[in-house]
Amino acid sequence: MARKHSKHDPYEELHRAEQAPAVAPPCWLCSRPTGKTIVWHHPVPKSRGGRDVVPMHSICQQTLIANFTNSELQRNGMDVENLLANPAVRKFVDWVANKDPDFTATIAKKPR
């Protein structure tokens, strides 16, 4: 008679991963835990040679895109402190600090 379960379950790791609670990575910009939706953002835009990605909320990514050009993002690179030195970004991060991780809103574009 055949075994009901194999001694060496090929999906054993998958089943263990489902049982363990997943820890949400913190957002690169605001440091809040990410929610159900994680945006993998290129701090240095791909068009400018960026390869690294960081986890972010979509609202945080929209804020960066609204306040900085690709050239400015390239100059700042992975330095989040330079981005937070911008008064508009600092005001946003302070405002969003107490919001739910899955909070979303429309971000106004900066006039160019």
Side-chain angles (χ1 to χ4, degrees):
M1 177 176 238
R3 293 178 187 233
K4 189 171 186 178
H5 300 286
S6 171
K7 268 184 166 179
H8 306 285
D9 183 9
Y11 300 106
E12 183 175 0
E13 294 296 321
L14 180 64
H15 296 302
R16 273 195 219 145
E18 289 175 358
Q19 294 170 356
V23 177
C27 177
W28 181 70
L29 184 65
C30 69
S31 300
R32 295 180 305 136
T34 53
K36 294 177 185 173
T37 305
I38 299 174
V39 175
W40 293 97
H41 175 72
H42 290 267
V44 177
K46 286 173 63 174
S47 63
R48 303 293 177 140
R51 292 187 174 164
D52 296 332
V53 291
V54 292
M56 290 182 76
H57 298 105
S58 62
I59 192 171
C60 294
Q61 182 188 35
Q62 291 170 10
T63 300
L64 286 184
I65 292 169
N67 288 293
F68 296 101
T69 63
N70 281 351
S71 297
E72 292 169 331
L73 289 173
Q74 180 184 12
R75 274 184 254 134
N76 287 318
M78 295 289 289
D79 189 11
V80 74
E81 294 303 320
N82 278 346
L83 298 174
L84 292 174
N86 181 309
V89 175
R90 172 50 66 189
K91 182 178 177 183
F92 165 79
V93 169
D94 292 342
W95 172 74
V96 82
N98 297 325
K99 305 285 188 226
D100 184 56
D102 290 318
F103 175 77
T104 185
T106 304
I107 301 298
K109 294 268 184 192
K110 179 172 102 173
R112 302 217 185 243

